[in-house]
Amino acid sequence: MTAQDHDSSSGLRHAVVTGTSSGIGRAIAERLLADGWRVTGIDRAASVLSHEHFGGFEADLAEPQTLIARLADVGAVTALVHAAGYMRVGRLGELQAESSEGMWRVHVGAAEALANTLAPRLREGGRIVLIGSRTANGAAGRSQYAATKAALTGLARSWAIELAPRLITVNVVAPAATDTPFLRDPSRAGTAPVLPPMGRYVDPVEVAALTAFLLLPEAGAVTGQTITICAGASL
C-alpha cells in the first residue's frame, strides 16, 4: 500500500496544510477538500473553513516545540503542505533583526519542525510541498524575506534526496505576487509589487491547482524542484 491509497481511519487521503485561514493556504485546503481529501489545518488564528472533512487547530508556527507537541495526535498523513507565511520589508540601513528572525522561524523553522515530525509517518509515495516565492531570486527592499524563501529550495532538494528511496516527493511552489490579503499588507508600503506582463496577479486557485497536481500519483517523478508560477513576471 502506498500513501496515495485511502487512509484506513477515514477512507480519505489526509493532508496537513498550514495557513488555511486565508490566502494561498485557504485556497489549497479548499481545492484538496473538493478533490476528496481530508485536511488538517494549522493556523495562528482559527480557520474560517467549514467542511465535514476539515479539522484544524491553532498553533504559533514560530514556536516549533509547541507545534511539534500539537502534531502528536494528527495521525497518519499522506501529504504536508506548508503555506503559512508573511513578509516584512526593509532596505539596507533599515533592516530589523527581529523581522528576519520572525520570518525565518515561520518559513524555515516551521518547515523543519513539520517535516521532521511528519516525514517518518508518511507511507511510500507521500508528498511534501513548501510554498516559496519568486522573490527568492532577489528583490530590492525584501532581502530578509527573500533569504527565508530561498532557504526552502535547499531544504526541499536535500529532503527529496533523502526521501526518494521511499518514493516520497518534495517540491517548492514559488508564486509571484498573488491576489490575496497578503498582497495588500500595510507593511509592504513602499515596495508595491509590479504588475506581471499578463496584466494581472496570480490567482490563489492557480497556486492551489499546481499544488494539488504535485500531490497526485501522476506527479511521482517530480521531486526536488522549485516551480515558479508568475503570470509572466519571470520573462
Side-chain angles (χ1 to χ4, degrees):
M1 178 184 289
T2 71
Q4 293 296 342
D5 292 308
H6 287 181
D7 182 73
S8 59
S9 63
S10 66
L12 302 173
R13 293 165 296 174
H14 179 203
V16 172
V17 183
T18 66
T20 64
S21 62
S22 180
I24 290 173
R26 178 177 177 177
I28 291 171
E30 290 175 333
R31 172 59 186 261
L32 295 182
L33 290 167
D35 287 351
W37 287 71
R38 179 167 69 92
V39 175
T40 296
I42 304 176
D43 298 274
R44 189 171 65 174
S47 177
V48 297
L49 289 177
S50 177
H51 191 282
E52 62 177 325
H53 297 310
F54 177 82
F57 61 84
E58 296 176 41
D60 188 349
L61 292 168
E63 299 295 336
Q65 294 308 313
T66 302
L67 175 60
I68 291 170
R70 297 298 305 273
L71 293 172
D73 299 324
V74 166
V77 178
T78 311
L80 164 64
V81 181
H82 182 35
Y86 70 98
M87 178 188 289
R88 292 292 179 267
V89 299
R91 293 179 176 271
L92 284 173
E94 304 169 350
L95 300 181
Q96 302 294 319
E98 56 270 25
S99 295
S100 181
E101 180 181 355
M103 287 187 290
W104 192 271
R105 289 164 72 98
V106 171
H107 300 161
V108 183
E112 291 179 359
L114 289 161
N116 194 51
T117 303
L118 297 178
R121 304 184 197 175
L122 293 175
R123 292 192 294 257
E124 183 176 288
R127 300 283 186 262
I128 298 175
V129 174
L130 309 176
I131 302 301
S133 172
R134 179 179 173 271
T135 303
N137 295 325
R142 305 177 196 174
S143 59
Q144 294 168 307
Y145 176 81
T148 65
K149 290 298 188 177
L152 297 182
T153 294
L155 291 180
R157 290 185 62 82
S158 300
W159 294 341
I161 296 168
E162 293 180 29
L163 297 173
R166 294 169 54 198
L167 305 183
I168 296 171
T169 67
V170 188
N171 293 288
V172 176
V173 172
T178 305
D179 192 9
T180 68
F182 180 61
L183 193 69
R184 294 173 284 279
D185 189 331
S187 71
R188 299 183 64 163
T191 58
V194 177
L195 196 66
M198 285 187 175
R200 66 173 180 86
Y201 297 118
V202 176
D203 192 310
V205 301
E206 295 170 319
V207 182
L210 177 55
T211 302
F213 168 72
L214 291 173
L215 303 190
L216 292 174
E218 291 83 352
V222 182
T223 194
Q225 304 305 305
T226 295
I227 305 171
T228 301
I229 175 169
C230 67
S234 298
L235 299 176

